[in-house]
Amino acid sequence: MGRTLTFNIFRYNPSDPASSPHMDKFTLDETERMTLFIALNRIREEIDPTLMFDFCCRAGICGACAMVINGRPGLACHTKTKEMPAEITLMPLPVFKLVGDLSVDTGTWFRGMYQKVESWVHTDKKFDPKAQEERMDNALAEQIYELDRCIECGCCVGACGTALMREDFLGAVALNRLARFILDPRDQRTEKDYFDIVGTDEGIFGCMGLLACEDVCPKQIPLQEQLGKLRRKMALAAVKNILPKFLKKDF
Amino acid sequence: MKIIQTDLLCVGAGLAGERVAIEAADNGFSVICLSIVPARRSHSSAAQGGMQAALGNSAMGEGDSPDVHFADTVKGSDWGCDQEVARLFVDAAPIAMRQMAFWGVPWNRVVPGEQTYYKGGKPFTAFEKPENEGLIHSRNFGGTAKWRTCYTSDGTGHCVLYTLDNRAAQMGVSVIDKVEAIALIHDGDTCMGVIARCLKTGELTAYLAKATLIATGGFGRIYRESTNAVICDGGGLITALDTGVVPLGNMEAVQFHPTGIVPTDILVTEGCRGDGGTLLDKNEYRFMPDYEPEKAELASRDVVSRRMTEHMRKGLGVPSPYGDHLWLDIRHLGEAHIRTKLREVDEICQSFLGVDPVYQLIPVRPTQHYSMGGVRTNKDGAAYGLKGLFSAGEASCWDMHGFNRLGGNSLAETVVAGMIIGGKIVEFLKGAETVIKTASVRDAMDKQNARIADLVACKNGSENPYTVRNAMFDSIMKGAGIFRNGKDLETCVAELQEILGRARRVGLRSSGKGANPELTMALKIEGMVKLALCVAYGALKRTESRGAHTREDFPERNDRDWLTRTLATWADGADLPTLNYEPATHIFEMPPGDRGYGGGKIIPMNG
């Protein structure tokens, strides 16, 4: 300890005509077990009350505090200053609309995403409150959970080359979401239904395979594996639609 | 003035808010949910443990029924709950869990055959029946006779919240995020909606509705040390209290957890102590056996929290830049055990502290965890005092928890209460039209605009809202924390009254433009201090110990005088709440008795 930390922080308040984008410098004495959660709150409460940033659970569960930390998207809550150089540069996540300073609007982006992929169980069954629950294999439930662990922090989107270039790209998070429903027997959508959603450049074919999404995922979700599986499945579905009926059986 | 109208307005889009919203949308009503954060970031997502429902599918849950669940819940509440509500809850819980499964929650399921489980750190085997294969499984939580807690690995809240939010999207519920309700619109008789501030632009909007639901979660952030998310600052409760007519119930009932990590107060599981972890002081001396020779670290949550506080008060805490703390030592459990059986603890220590618990001590302190109190409602979820106002989840005092809620019952409450209260709101919406009084809307909007202008101009003073908040933290932690006594509570109430005066004199250092966080704090601080006063003053007046409310000077649970629920209202301009009392329950399905844990003497009802 005993270091003095310097924070270079992106500043801009779009609601204030007097504000223009720039970097501000703040210094703090490092304390034991300091995280960016502690540091940013101290800067706001002791130095500049206008500093905008988002934290919610501050425990790596809700995904609110994603930002670009020394050039890399990550969660600020579990970034420990002792593992950082004395000079720390903080920028808001790209792709998402800026609210101000380090705060971005992830809500609107993700809502759009889950409307596009229709992120819910599609079934024509009706819930019967008197009936016992439908059974499920525990291993399958755990597999679904593995993909359900995504916290929508937006790190994978912020790190994605395609998402930076084209606004309509669904991103690894959407493909992972869809993979979750493909796995779920409660969802009655067919391969063709899924293909209609992601069998385009907005979906699986837009990915350039730069792998940054998986590198920055704070929950270590195997995003590229899901994407690969989806691509193979969708390519197969595309082929099936071309082939005459009698040939399809073997797929 | 920007006005948006809907049938049902849910303030809060966590599990309770969204479950109610879905019920109304499913019945054809238009619904808007307002949320400070994107719905999926709600604090509901942080609940890892699970939801209690008496399904009885697992070997250790065999023979379970809503009746057993009811008895556990009433005992847990220390007979402070409304037994009619507890009954509604336990009967509906299994249906709610099955419905969640139907909507997509990947509950862990029963795997047949011999399975290894852990109890008190020791492995044992149980035989899961083949005929139960694939049904919803359950795990163990404290204070229950049967294993009853449905779960999805370590992410129950997260999975259920995502599933509900998916369902809400499917049903066309409109979730507007980064918006904060700052006042209710009402005429003293009927609630007509809220004035809300956009946390992206700072703009105010009037949301008008036939029914308004407060589902904003707990208010743990009136304490400095809290396991709650930073958004759990009681915003919804403040809007209710500010009406002067809506009472808050049992605000003095606050639950603490022994092992929040320092400095960020993230919870590490009680399993650490269950598995043999010990608590050490600044001399690395194990002190718990001195206080609790029989159970030591394995005494109940509240007892351990109290002993830790007592020990730190003796000056034996470890000083740190974040205040005193103690050590949790799990090093002797060994690397194999820590990296596998306590994986979550290992990850929390490494990720948030940079501490490797295999070799290093974990800094911990008792931490505020759950608020049993909230907006007082009847069994239908309708708030007292205003027609058209409802409340559900941790924000409410529906009151199935009384003075101490059981693990797994709070998360279950969100969806079960959401289902029940959602149904009642649908009945209400079918039967009623609301007359919106434009004068009430205009008055509410003018008042909030004026408040903001005054804060920006420092019209009432220039107290720093963060400094005032820190003063509140100091006072309430000291006076109305885990241990309470008449003398300290009196001091606390007097201090908080003085702090309330300062809260009324805050002013901004900045312009207040846009999503300005200083203004967000300034708009809330007076209300937060009022909530703190409801806690402290309620605790001062309640001269008994019940559940989580522990008076050193009144150690008995006094059923003769205090089988009651505190109702706190706040008259305009007052510097203390008005306290009234009502019977804890009108129906006794189970007469008051011993909880079977926690000890303590009881003064009987007719004693």
Side-chain angles (χ1 to χ4, degrees), chain B residues 25-70:
Chain B
D26 208 7
N27 282 276
F29 293 100
S30 66
V31 187
I32 292 176
C33 289
L34 304 181
S35 179
I36 318 184
V37 291
R40 291 169 190 233
R41 311 225 189 285
S42 303
H43 190 45
S44 302
S45 70
Q48 299 185 318
M51 296 187 169
Q52 280 202 43
L55 292 164
N57 296 328
S58 69
M60 300 300 291
E62 214 167 287
D64 199 11
S65 70
D67 290 343
V68 184
H69 189 184
F70 174 83

Short mmCIF file of all heavy atoms in Angstrom, two decimals, chain B residues 25-70:
data_model
loop_
_atom_site.label_atom_id
_atom_site.label_comp_id
_atom_site.label_asym_id
_atom_site.label_seq_id
_atom_site.Cartn_x
_atom_site.Cartn_y
_atom_site.Cartn_z
N ALA B 25 -51.03 -8.13 -16.69
CA ALA B 25 -50.92 -8.13 -18.15
C ALA B 25 -51.62 -9.36 -18.73
O ALA B 25 -52.29 -9.28 -19.76
CB ALA B 25 -49.45 -8.11 -18.57
N ASP B 26 -51.49 -10.47 -18.03
CA ASP B 26 -52.11 -11.72 -18.45
C ASP B 26 -53.64 -11.58 -18.49
O ASP B 26 -54.32 -12.29 -19.21
CB ASP B 26 -51.71 -12.82 -17.44
CG ASP B 26 -51.69 -14.19 -18.08
OD1 ASP B 26 -51.88 -14.27 -19.31
OD2 ASP B 26 -51.49 -15.18 -17.35
N ASN B 27 -54.16 -10.67 -17.68
CA ASN B 27 -55.60 -10.45 -17.63
C ASN B 27 -56.03 -9.27 -18.49
O ASN B 27 -57.12 -8.73 -18.32
CB ASN B 27 -56.07 -10.26 -16.19
CG ASN B 27 -56.17 -11.60 -15.47
OD1 ASN B 27 -57.18 -12.28 -15.57
ND2 ASN B 27 -55.10 -11.98 -14.79
N GLY B 28 -55.14 -8.84 -19.36
CA GLY B 28 -55.52 -7.85 -20.36
C GLY B 28 -55.34 -6.40 -19.95
O GLY B 28 -55.79 -5.49 -20.65
N PHE B 29 -54.71 -6.16 -18.81
CA PHE B 29 -54.53 -4.77 -18.39
C PHE B 29 -53.18 -4.23 -18.87
O PHE B 29 -52.22 -4.99 -19.03
CB PHE B 29 -54.63 -4.66 -16.86
CG PHE B 29 -56.00 -4.96 -16.35
CD1 PHE B 29 -56.31 -6.20 -15.81
CD2 PHE B 29 -57.00 -4.00 -16.44
CE1 PHE B 29 -57.59 -6.49 -15.37
CE2 PHE B 29 -58.29 -4.28 -16.01
CZ PHE B 29 -58.59 -5.53 -15.47
N SER B 30 -53.13 -2.94 -19.09
CA SER B 30 -51.85 -2.33 -19.46
C SER B 30 -51.02 -2.13 -18.20
O SER B 30 -51.54 -1.74 -17.16
CB SER B 30 -52.08 -1.00 -20.18
OG SER B 30 -52.64 -0.05 -19.31
N VAL B 31 -49.73 -2.43 -18.32
CA VAL B 31 -48.86 -2.36 -17.14
C VAL B 31 -47.55 -1.67 -17.48
O VAL B 31 -46.93 -1.95 -18.52
CB VAL B 31 -48.50 -3.78 -16.61
CG1 VAL B 31 -47.73 -3.67 -15.29
CG2 VAL B 31 -49.74 -4.63 -16.43
N ILE B 32 -47.13 -0.78 -16.62
CA ILE B 32 -45.80 -0.18 -16.72
C ILE B 32 -45.04 -0.50 -15.43
O ILE B 32 -45.59 -0.35 -14.34
CB ILE B 32 -45.89 1.35 -16.90
CG1 ILE B 32 -46.50 1.69 -18.27
CG2 ILE B 32 -44.51 1.99 -16.76
CD1 ILE B 32 -46.71 3.18 -18.49
N CYS B 33 -43.80 -0.98 -15.58
CA CYS B 33 -42.91 -1.12 -14.42
C CYS B 33 -41.85 -0.03 -14.50
O CYS B 33 -41.23 0.15 -15.55
CB CYS B 33 -42.19 -2.46 -14.43
SG CYS B 33 -43.21 -3.88 -14.08
N LEU B 34 -41.66 0.67 -13.41
CA LEU B 34 -40.56 1.64 -13.34
C LEU B 34 -39.43 1.00 -12.54
O LEU B 34 -39.66 0.35 -11.52
CB LEU B 34 -41.00 2.92 -12.63
CG LEU B 34 -42.21 3.65 -13.20
CD1 LEU B 34 -42.48 4.91 -12.38
CD2 LEU B 34 -41.99 4.01 -14.66
N SER B 35 -38.20 1.19 -13.00
CA SER B 35 -37.08 0.59 -12.29
C SER B 35 -35.87 1.52 -12.32
O SER B 35 -35.60 2.15 -13.34
CB SER B 35 -36.73 -0.75 -12.96
OG SER B 35 -35.64 -1.35 -12.32
N ILE B 36 -35.17 1.59 -11.18
CA ILE B 36 -33.98 2.47 -11.12
C ILE B 36 -32.89 1.92 -12.03
O ILE B 36 -32.05 2.65 -12.52
CB ILE B 36 -33.39 2.54 -9.70
CG1 ILE B 36 -34.47 2.65 -8.64
CG2 ILE B 36 -32.46 3.72 -9.57
CD1 ILE B 36 -33.89 2.82 -7.24
N VAL B 37 -32.87 0.61 -12.18
CA VAL B 37 -31.84 -0.05 -12.98
C VAL B 37 -32.55 -0.95 -13.99
O VAL B 37 -33.73 -1.24 -13.83
CB VAL B 37 -30.92 -0.92 -12.09
CG1 VAL B 37 -30.06 -0.05 -11.19
CG2 VAL B 37 -31.72 -1.92 -11.27
N PRO B 38 -31.84 -1.41 -15.05
CA PRO B 38 -32.48 -2.42 -15.91
C PRO B 38 -33.04 -3.54 -15.04
O PRO B 38 -32.38 -3.95 -14.06
CB PRO B 38 -31.32 -2.90 -16.78
CG PRO B 38 -30.41 -1.70 -16.89
CD PRO B 38 -30.49 -1.05 -15.53
N ALA B 39 -34.25 -4.01 -15.36
CA ALA B 39 -34.95 -4.93 -14.47
C ALA B 39 -34.08 -6.09 -14.00
O ALA B 39 -34.13 -6.51 -12.85
CB ALA B 39 -36.19 -5.46 -15.19
N ARG B 40 -33.26 -6.60 -14.92
CA ARG B 40 -32.46 -7.78 -14.58
C ARG B 40 -31.31 -7.50 -13.62
O ARG B 40 -30.60 -8.41 -13.22
CB ARG B 40 -31.93 -8.42 -15.86
CG ARG B 40 -33.05 -9.04 -16.67
CD ARG B 40 -32.60 -9.44 -18.05
NE ARG B 40 -33.76 -9.79 -18.85
CZ ARG B 40 -33.90 -10.94 -19.50
NH1 ARG B 40 -32.95 -11.83 -19.50
NH2 ARG B 40 -34.98 -11.19 -20.19
N ARG B 41 -31.10 -6.22 -13.31
CA ARG B 41 -30.07 -5.90 -12.33
C ARG B 41 -30.67 -5.74 -10.93
O ARG B 41 -29.96 -5.41 -9.98
CB ARG B 41 -29.37 -4.60 -12.71
CG ARG B 41 -28.90 -4.51 -14.15
CD ARG B 41 -27.50 -3.95 -14.25
NE ARG B 41 -27.07 -3.66 -15.60
CZ ARG B 41 -26.71 -4.58 -16.50
NH1 ARG B 41 -26.77 -5.87 -16.19
NH2 ARG B 41 -26.31 -4.22 -17.70
N SER B 42 -31.98 -5.91 -10.81
CA SER B 42 -32.63 -5.76 -9.51
C SER B 42 -31.94 -6.63 -8.46
O SER B 42 -31.35 -7.64 -8.80
CB SER B 42 -34.10 -6.18 -9.60
OG SER B 42 -34.74 -5.44 -10.59
N HIS B 43 -32.09 -6.23 -7.20
CA HIS B 43 -31.39 -6.96 -6.15
C HIS B 43 -31.87 -8.41 -6.03
O HIS B 43 -31.15 -9.26 -5.50
CB HIS B 43 -31.53 -6.23 -4.82
CG HIS B 43 -30.64 -6.78 -3.74
ND1 HIS B 43 -29.32 -7.08 -3.96
CD2 HIS B 43 -30.88 -7.08 -2.45
CE1 HIS B 43 -28.79 -7.55 -2.84
NE2 HIS B 43 -29.71 -7.57 -1.91
N SER B 44 -33.07 -8.68 -6.54
CA SER B 44 -33.55 -10.07 -6.57
C SER B 44 -32.51 -10.99 -7.21
O SER B 44 -32.40 -12.16 -6.86
CB SER B 44 -34.83 -10.18 -7.40
OG SER B 44 -35.83 -9.35 -6.90
N SER B 45 -31.75 -10.46 -8.17
CA SER B 45 -30.79 -11.30 -8.91
C SER B 45 -29.68 -11.81 -8.00
O SER B 45 -29.02 -12.79 -8.30
CB SER B 45 -30.18 -10.52 -10.07
OG SER B 45 -29.32 -9.50 -9.58
N ALA B 46 -29.46 -11.13 -6.89
CA ALA B 46 -28.33 -11.48 -6.03
C ALA B 46 -28.63 -12.63 -5.08
O ALA B 46 -27.72 -13.18 -4.46
CB ALA B 46 -27.89 -10.25 -5.24
N ALA B 47 -29.91 -12.99 -4.95
CA ALA B 47 -30.27 -14.05 -4.01
C ALA B 47 -29.82 -15.39 -4.56
O ALA B 47 -30.32 -15.85 -5.58
CB ALA B 47 -31.77 -14.05 -3.77
N GLN B 48 -28.87 -16.01 -3.91
CA GLN B 48 -28.31 -17.24 -4.46
C GLN B 48 -29.00 -18.49 -3.93
O GLN B 48 -29.09 -19.50 -4.61
CB GLN B 48 -26.81 -17.30 -4.15
CG GLN B 48 -26.07 -16.14 -4.77
CD GLN B 48 -24.57 -16.22 -4.59
OE1 GLN B 48 -24.09 -16.58 -3.52
NE2 GLN B 48 -23.83 -15.88 -5.61
N GLY B 49 -29.49 -18.40 -2.70
CA GLY B 49 -29.93 -19.59 -1.98
C GLY B 49 -31.08 -20.34 -2.60
O GLY B 49 -30.88 -21.39 -3.22
N GLY B 50 -32.29 -19.83 -2.48
CA GLY B 50 -33.41 -20.56 -3.04
C GLY B 50 -34.74 -20.10 -2.48
O GLY B 50 -34.82 -19.11 -1.77
N MET B 51 -35.79 -20.84 -2.86
CA MET B 51 -37.16 -20.48 -2.49
C MET B 51 -37.83 -21.65 -1.79
O MET B 51 -37.87 -22.76 -2.33
CB MET B 51 -37.96 -20.17 -3.76
CG MET B 51 -37.48 -18.97 -4.51
SD MET B 51 -38.64 -18.63 -5.84
CE MET B 51 -38.06 -17.02 -6.36
N GLN B 52 -38.40 -21.37 -0.63
CA GLN B 52 -39.07 -22.43 0.11
C GLN B 52 -40.46 -22.73 -0.43
O GLN B 52 -41.26 -21.81 -0.62
CB GLN B 52 -39.20 -22.03 1.58
CG GLN B 52 -37.93 -22.22 2.37
CD GLN B 52 -38.24 -22.33 3.85
OE1 GLN B 52 -39.18 -23.00 4.27
NE2 GLN B 52 -37.43 -21.67 4.66
N ALA B 53 -40.73 -24.00 -0.66
CA ALA B 53 -42.07 -24.46 -1.01
C ALA B 53 -42.14 -25.93 -0.66
O ALA B 53 -41.23 -26.69 -0.98
CB ALA B 53 -42.33 -24.26 -2.50
N ALA B 54 -43.23 -26.33 -0.01
CA ALA B 54 -43.33 -27.70 0.50
C ALA B 54 -43.74 -28.66 -0.61
O ALA B 54 -44.88 -29.09 -0.69
CB ALA B 54 -44.33 -27.74 1.65
N LEU B 55 -42.79 -29.00 -1.47
CA LEU B 55 -43.07 -29.96 -2.53
C LEU B 55 -42.83 -31.39 -2.06
O LEU B 55 -43.47 -32.33 -2.52
CB LEU B 55 -42.20 -29.65 -3.75
CG LEU B 55 -42.53 -28.34 -4.48
CD1 LEU B 55 -41.39 -27.93 -5.40
CD2 LEU B 55 -43.82 -28.48 -5.28
N GLY B 56 -41.86 -31.52 -1.14
CA GLY B 56 -41.61 -32.83 -0.54
C GLY B 56 -41.11 -33.88 -1.52
O GLY B 56 -41.34 -35.08 -1.33
N ASN B 57 -40.41 -33.46 -2.58
CA ASN B 57 -39.92 -34.44 -3.56
C ASN B 57 -38.63 -35.12 -3.15
O ASN B 57 -38.35 -36.24 -3.57
CB ASN B 57 -39.67 -33.75 -4.92
CG ASN B 57 -40.94 -33.19 -5.53
OD1 ASN B 57 -42.01 -33.73 -5.34
ND2 ASN B 57 -40.81 -32.09 -6.26
N SER B 58 -37.79 -34.43 -2.38
CA SER B 58 -36.47 -34.97 -2.07
C SER B 58 -36.52 -35.87 -0.85
O SER B 58 -37.47 -35.80 -0.06
CB SER B 58 -35.49 -33.82 -1.82
OG SER B 58 -35.83 -33.17 -0.62
N ALA B 59 -35.50 -36.70 -0.69
CA ALA B 59 -35.47 -37.63 0.45
C ALA B 59 -35.55 -36.87 1.77
O ALA B 59 -36.29 -37.27 2.68
CB ALA B 59 -34.19 -38.46 0.39
N MET B 60 -34.80 -35.77 1.87
CA MET B 60 -34.77 -35.03 3.12
C MET B 60 -36.00 -34.13 3.28
O MET B 60 -36.17 -33.48 4.31
CB MET B 60 -33.50 -34.19 3.21
CG MET B 60 -32.21 -35.00 3.17
SD MET B 60 -32.10 -36.18 4.53
CE MET B 60 -31.88 -35.07 5.91
N GLY B 61 -36.81 -34.07 2.24
CA GLY B 61 -38.04 -33.27 2.32
C GLY B 61 -39.27 -34.14 2.45
O GLY B 61 -40.40 -33.64 2.50
N GLU B 62 -39.05 -35.43 2.51
CA GLU B 62 -40.17 -36.38 2.55
C GLU B 62 -41.09 -36.10 3.74
O GLU B 62 -40.62 -35.86 4.85
CB GLU B 62 -39.64 -37.80 2.66
CG GLU B 62 -40.50 -38.80 1.92
CD GLU B 62 -39.77 -40.12 1.79
OE1 GLU B 62 -38.81 -40.19 0.98
OE2 GLU B 62 -40.14 -41.05 2.51
N GLY B 63 -42.39 -36.14 3.49
CA GLY B 63 -43.35 -35.88 4.56
C GLY B 63 -43.62 -34.40 4.77
O GLY B 63 -44.38 -34.01 5.65
N ASP B 64 -42.98 -33.57 3.95
CA ASP B 64 -43.21 -32.13 4.09
C ASP B 64 -44.60 -31.78 3.57
O ASP B 64 -45.16 -32.49 2.73
CB ASP B 64 -42.15 -31.35 3.28
CG ASP B 64 -42.05 -29.90 3.74
OD1 ASP B 64 -42.64 -29.57 4.79
OD2 ASP B 64 -41.37 -29.10 3.06
N SER B 65 -45.15 -30.71 4.10
CA SER B 65 -46.47 -30.25 3.65
C SER B 65 -46.58 -28.77 3.99
O SER B 65 -45.79 -28.26 4.79
CB SER B 65 -47.57 -31.01 4.40
OG SER B 65 -47.59 -30.59 5.76
N PRO B 66 -47.55 -28.09 3.38
CA PRO B 66 -47.75 -26.67 3.73
C PRO B 66 -47.93 -26.48 5.25
O PRO B 66 -47.51 -25.45 5.79
CB PRO B 66 -49.01 -26.30 2.96
CG PRO B 66 -48.96 -27.16 1.74
CD PRO B 66 -48.39 -28.48 2.24
N ASP B 67 -48.49 -27.47 5.94
CA ASP B 67 -48.68 -27.33 7.40
C ASP B 67 -47.33 -27.23 8.12
O ASP B 67 -47.17 -26.45 9.06
CB ASP B 67 -49.47 -28.52 7.96
CG ASP B 67 -50.92 -28.49 7.51
OD1 ASP B 67 -51.37 -27.41 7.05
OD2 ASP B 67 -51.59 -29.53 7.61
N VAL B 68 -46.38 -28.07 7.70
CA VAL B 68 -45.06 -28.04 8.34
C VAL B 68 -44.36 -26.71 7.99
O VAL B 68 -43.72 -26.09 8.83
CB VAL B 68 -44.19 -29.24 7.86
CG1 VAL B 68 -42.87 -29.26 8.61
CG2 VAL B 68 -44.94 -30.55 8.09
N HIS B 69 -44.50 -26.31 6.75
CA HIS B 69 -43.93 -25.03 6.31
C HIS B 69 -44.54 -23.87 7.11
O HIS B 69 -43.84 -22.95 7.54
CB HIS B 69 -44.19 -24.85 4.81
CG HIS B 69 -43.48 -23.69 4.19
ND1 HIS B 69 -43.66 -23.32 2.88
CD2 HIS B 69 -42.58 -22.80 4.69
CE1 HIS B 69 -42.91 -22.26 2.61
NE2 HIS B 69 -42.25 -21.93 3.69
N PHE B 70 -45.84 -23.96 7.34
CA PHE B 70 -46.54 -22.94 8.13
C PHE B 70 -45.96 -22.85 9.54
O PHE B 70 -45.63 -21.77 10.03
CB PHE B 70 -48.03 -23.27 8.18
CG PHE B 70 -48.84 -22.36 9.07
CD1 PHE B 70 -49.27 -21.12 8.59
CD2 PHE B 70 -49.16 -22.73 10.38
CE1 PHE B 70 -50.00 -20.27 9.41
CE2 PHE B 70 -49.89 -21.87 11.20
CZ PHE B 70 -50.31 -20.64 10.72
#
